[in-house]
Amino acid sequence: MNDQIVSDSALFSEFGALSEEIAQKIVDTATRRTFKSSETLIQQGDIGSSMFIILYGRVRMSIRHDDGCERVVNILQQGDHFGELSLLIGGRRAATAIAIMDTAVLEISKRDFYALARTVPEFSIMLSRTIGKWLLGAQTRQIVRHKQSIIGLVRTTEWTAHIAPSIARYFAGKNKKIEIFTDRVSFWELTAHKDIFPIHTLNYPADESTFLHALATATKRCDHVFVDLYGNRATAELLLQCERIWWLIEQNKPEKEIATAQAENILKQQSELKNRLQVVWIQPKSYNLADNPLHAVPTHLDAIRCIYSVYHNEVRPADLARLYHIARGVELGLALGGGGAHGLAHIGVIAAFEEQGLYFDRVAGTSAGAIIAVGLGAGFNPRHLLSLFNTEMKPPGIMTYFPKATQFHLWMLFRFGLIEQRFRKYLKNLRLEQLLLPVHTIAADLISGQAVIRSNGEVVGCVLESINYPVFGKPIWRDGLALVDGGVLINVPSSVLRKQNTDYIVAVDVGTKLHPAFGKNNAGTRASDMRHVGYFSTLNRVLEVSSHELAKMHMSESDFLIMPDTSAYPFADFTRGEQLFEIGYNAAQKVMPELKQRYEDFVEMK
């Protein structure tokens, strides 16, 4: 027992900046308690009768509001303390404290708290300093974000064994301090990773107390700690020490059944892991996306899909970015507006993003934006996507001799169902659930007058609904719905992403500027010189003006807005792909320094 007290006082003095003598006084006064991962230390609303100082482990502080929603307000670790405010001011606990991993604390009763405050000035100073920091944080409105500090990487096949290094290298490349606890130290050392970040032997459960202390201490030194182990060695007790577990499964191999069964067995042993375990489906680089494995593993977290390059032993940067964002506790969204052929500018914007390593976790698209959104979700790179538009939307050579050939060609594609054939050539019977990231498409229902947001269902069908421009196509009839182009109601779908609780939204509006002329009439044309404009052109302009005005309302939900000026090009002319690509690319490059800084500041905000 004496050895334990000495150990606690030495640890306490180390992180509390107290002398060992003072630390010993506090330890002698307190009661040492341990809590298992997911166990509650204090409950919001209870009478406060003690305070706590964390010796090792991690504790999540959260507040439940009247509407039932729970918000994480802080993550505490070694040396932090909590519960003293209810002792100082009286009353009930303002928050709930739950152990994220196995945690040891010193509990100080109300009577002993006041005794220490009177007899040990250093104790009072420590409390005052911490309370001052909290008040300063509240004053400056600093956001407290739940960063995933301890992440389990569970490999299930020889192939998925290469994913953990990809993830670790990506995090390290973001200037994050990381450390690895692994059951294959020699693998990491032979691949020279020991020169990039520290590698530790995973000695659990052989030396449980030493491991837990080392793991908790590592979270003080670095940003993220990875626990790398093979699936058949994973236990519920070990995984409960991780705040997030990425269970890596090779999706198109027979072994996935075994890997899935292992995950299901773990979840049966400890239901709390349903809130922490997230399946990461891995498949080779291909445009033939694997089938949707919905409900394959009964976890509360949406599965992540990753594309793996066999030749480079690497995961796509876009997929690594999604994992990184999850670990940092953020979700970044991209809203792509409608605008006919002007939507080709979106491709240039995305190309500029990817050059700078900017990737998004969720995409919403209206009309032409919906086409680009599903293309992005299906894994098409920007240049390939542009080449497909140049190939498939170009009118036959003979039509180029006709006036308004591009508009007539677009009308034919819709009226004779040719547009669907072109989409199916590349998207086949894919469903939105199979895409590499969540994608939402927006259509408008003429019966209810409401927007219809698709988050699942057949990709081609969802896109056809969203692009069903009234000038060219009839309503698409579904059960109780008459669907047309989503731009009629929501042309830039930032609000759709906000309703999905997306944290930071970048919107691209390709219709912000109207062409200065209507037909051959402009603001300076005298009434006597104005020329007649046909029915289709008039209806097209009405819808264009309406979408332009509606976009302003929904764009207000954006955190950053890019507005390529596409007004020089006709709404229906898809033959100007290269020029529109350049307009989008240049518009993104122009604001890139500001966007990248704001993007990185938001992701790194603690």
Side-chain angles (χ1 to χ4, degrees):
M1 183 67 178
N2 189 56
D3 290 342
Q4 180 65 64
I5 293 175
V6 171
S7 175
D8 286 350
S9 63
L11 177 62
F12 188 23
S13 63
E14 177 187 341
F15 58 62
L18 302 170
S19 70
E20 190 162 341
E21 180 184 357
I22 297 299
Q24 186 67 60
K25 288 183 181 180
I26 296 173
V27 169
D28 289 343
T29 304
T31 301
R32 190 182 202 273
R33 298 186 61 189
T34 58
F35 294 85
K36 287 291 186 183
S37 178
S38 77
E39 195 173 348
T40 299
L41 286 77
I42 62 173
Q43 184 70 49
Q44 180 180 341
D46 288 351
I47 300 284
S49 59
S50 61
M51 69 162 288
F52 300 83
I53 302 171
I54 301 174
L55 288 173
Y56 71 78
R58 287 169 64 77
V59 174
R60 180 178 68 244
M61 306 296 295
S62 61
I63 295 176
R64 185 171 293 278
H65 297 283
D66 293 338
D67 60 4
C69 294
E70 189 171 10
R71 183 172 68 90
V72 175
V73 294
N74 212 343
I75 302 295
L76 305 180
Q77 52 190 348
Q78 284 180 309
D80 291 331
H81 49 85
F82 59 96
E84 63 271 17
L85 282 178
S86 61
L87 299 183
L88 286 168
I89 64 177
R92 300 181 180 274
R93 303 287 193 192
T96 296
I98 297 176
I100 298 174
M101 61 179 292
D102 290 0
T103 298
V105 299
L106 295 175
E107 183 175 13
I108 303 173
S109 68
K110 187 174 185 177
R111 185 188 64 183
D112 292 334
F113 171 82
Y114 283 109
L116 284 170
R118 287 193 303 269
T119 60
V120 183
E122 293 86 350
F123 178 71
S124 299
I125 292 170
M126 181 182 73
L127 295 179
S128 300
R129 185 181 295 118
T130 303
I131 292 171
K133 287 180 180 178
W134 289 344
L135 290 173
L136 181 62
Q139 206 171 33
T140 57
R141 297 183 179 181
Q142 290 181 342
I143 297 172
V144 176
R145 183 171 291 135
H146 186 186
K147 177 187 68 176
Q148 310 286 342
S149 286
I150 306 175
I151 301 172
L153 302 173
V154 182
R155 59 190 189 277
T156 57
T157 62
E158 183 179 347
W159 200 44
T160 59
H162 295 284
I163 305 303
S166 290
I167 295 172
R169 283 194 298 270
Y170 188 87
F171 279 56
K174 291 291 185 178
N175 295 319
K176 292 290 161 282
K177 293 180 181 179
I178 68 171
E179 295 188 20
I180 309 291
F181 287 80
T182 180
D183 60 0
R184 49 171 181 166
V185 172
S186 59
F187 166 83
W188 288 88
E189 290 182 341
L190 287 171
T191 51
H193 287 96
K194 66 177 180 179
D195 299 327
I196 306 174
F197 34 71
I199 312 295
H200 308 285
T201 300
L202 180 58
N203 55 0
Y204 186 95
D207 193 355
E208 181 179 347
S209 60
T210 301
F211 168 72
L212 291 175
H213 181 267
L215 188 63
T217 304
T219 64
K220 291 281 286 185
R221 291 192 299 264
C222 55
D223 300 287
H224 300 283
V225 180
F226 293 107
V227 178
D228 167 54
L229 74 161
Y230 194 56
N232 60 9
R233 296 174 190 159
T235 65
E237 292 75 17
L238 173 55
L239 295 180
L240 277 170
Q241 310 313 315
C242 303
E243 295 165 73
R244 181 63 59 103
I245 302 108
W246 287 327
W247 199 279
L248 310 171
I249 302 179
E250 194 173 345
Q251 188 162 339
N252 58 351
K253 294 286 184 178
E255 292 86 349
K256 76 176 182 181
E257 303 299 334
I258 299 172
T260 299
Q262 289 173 339
E264 290 176 338
N265 185 50
I266 288 287
L267 295 177
K268 287 177 183 176
Q269 295 175 39
Q270 178 53 256
S271 60
E272 163 62 22
L273 289 174
K274 290 184 178 181
N275 300 314
R276 307 189 188 191
L277 192 148
Q278 188 169 34
V279 174
V280 179
W281 296 103
I282 312 291
Q283 71 171 87
K285 186 175 182 180
S286 168
Y287 290 119
N288 297 316
L289 297 180
D291 292 337
N292 177 46
L294 271 182
H295 311 302
V297 178
T299 176
H300 296 159
L301 300 171
D302 292 336
I304 300 293
R305 291 173 175 273
C306 291
I307 298 296
Y308 181 75
S309 171
V310 179
Y311 302 106
H312 299 98
N313 279 345
E314 284 286 350
V315 177
R316 283 193 329 154
D319 300 325
L320 290 171
R322 286 193 69 200
L323 296 174
Y324 180 70
H325 294 159
I326 290 170
R328 303 303 296 176
V330 301
E331 182 175 83
L332 306 178
L334 180 62
L336 302 176
H342 298 164
L344 296 176
H346 288 313
I347 306 176
V349 172
I350 292 169
F353 287 164
E354 294 190 356
E355 279 185 10
Q356 296 296 319
L358 303 183
Y359 300 98
F360 296 85
D361 311 303
R362 188 179 295 271
V363 184
T366 297
S367 194
I371 304 175
I372 309 305
V374 300
L376 185 62
F380 293 94
N381 68 59
R383 276 292 174 187
H384 186 197
L385 201 53
L386 179 63
S387 70
L388 295 181
F389 270 99
N390 290 340
T391 301
E392 300 296 341
M393 300 300 288
K394 185 178 180 180
I398 193 172
M399 285 189 65
T400 58
Y401 297 101
F402 293 93
K404 297 186 178 179
T406 55
Q407 188 171 324
F408 181 66
H409 178 242
L410 199 59
W411 178 84
M412 287 182 58
L413 291 178
F414 275 94
R415 284 292 177 174
F416 296 104
L418 301 177
I419 193 76
E420 179 175 358
Q421 294 177 19
R422 281 162 167 72
F423 286 141
R424 290 209 183 277
K425 186 189 299 187
Y426 304 100
L427 298 171
K428 299 181 172 57
N429 295 315
L430 276 177
R431 298 182 62 81
L432 289 176
E433 303 94 301
Q434 288 176 257
L435 300 181
L436 298 169
L437 72 167
V439 173
H440 310 277
T441 63
I442 294 85
D445 174 28
L446 296 182
I447 295 177
S448 68
Q450 300 294 314
V452 175
I453 290 98
R454 302 291 193 196
S455 303
N456 50 59
E458 189 191 43
V459 168
V460 172
C462 294
V463 170
L464 290 174
E465 294 169 358
S466 187
I467 67 171
N468 189 27
Y469 201 61
V471 174
F472 301 115
K474 302 174 183 177
I476 294 175
W477 302 100
R478 305 289 188 222
D479 291 341
L481 302 172
L483 300 172
V484 296
D485 191 300
V488 171
L489 291 173
I490 305 177
N491 199 45
V492 180
S494 304
S495 58
V496 173
L497 294 175
R498 192 64 73 193
K499 287 178 182 177
Q500 294 292 326
N501 298 316
T502 303
D503 299 300
Y504 192 87
I505 299 168
V506 176
V508 185
D509 178 18
V510 294
T512 188
K513 291 186 179 180
L514 295 170
H515 194 283
F518 172 40
K520 293 188 177 181
N521 308 304
N522 56 46
T525 306
R526 293 182 301 178
S528 58
D529 295 330
M530 284 197 166
R531 301 190 181 184
H532 173 74
V533 179
Y535 167 78
F536 284 114
S537 295
T538 301
L539 180 56
N540 182 60
R541 185 67 170 185
V542 168
L543 292 170
E544 196 176 353
V545 170
S546 173
S547 296
H548 172 74
E549 290 303 312
L550 281 170
K552 295 177 183 177
M553 177 176 66
H554 293 281
M555 284 189 299
S556 64
E557 297 282 359
S558 308
D559 297 291
F560 197 94
L561 180 62
I562 299 176
M563 299 181 291
D565 183 1
T566 59
S567 60
Y569 295 94
F571 180 89
D573 189 357
F574 281 87
T575 65
R576 306 297 185 93
E578 293 294 339
Q579 295 95 321
L580 289 163
F581 177 97
E582 288 300 320
I583 287 172
Y585 181 87
N586 291 334
Q589 289 286 40
K590 185 177 180 179
V591 299
M592 189 61 71
E594 180 187 359
L595 171 59
K596 195 169 182 182
Q597 187 62 56
R598 287 172 60 176
Y599 171 101
E600 291 176 351
D601 288 347
F602 187 84
V603 172
E604 302 313 319
M605 190 182 296
K606 302 266 190 320

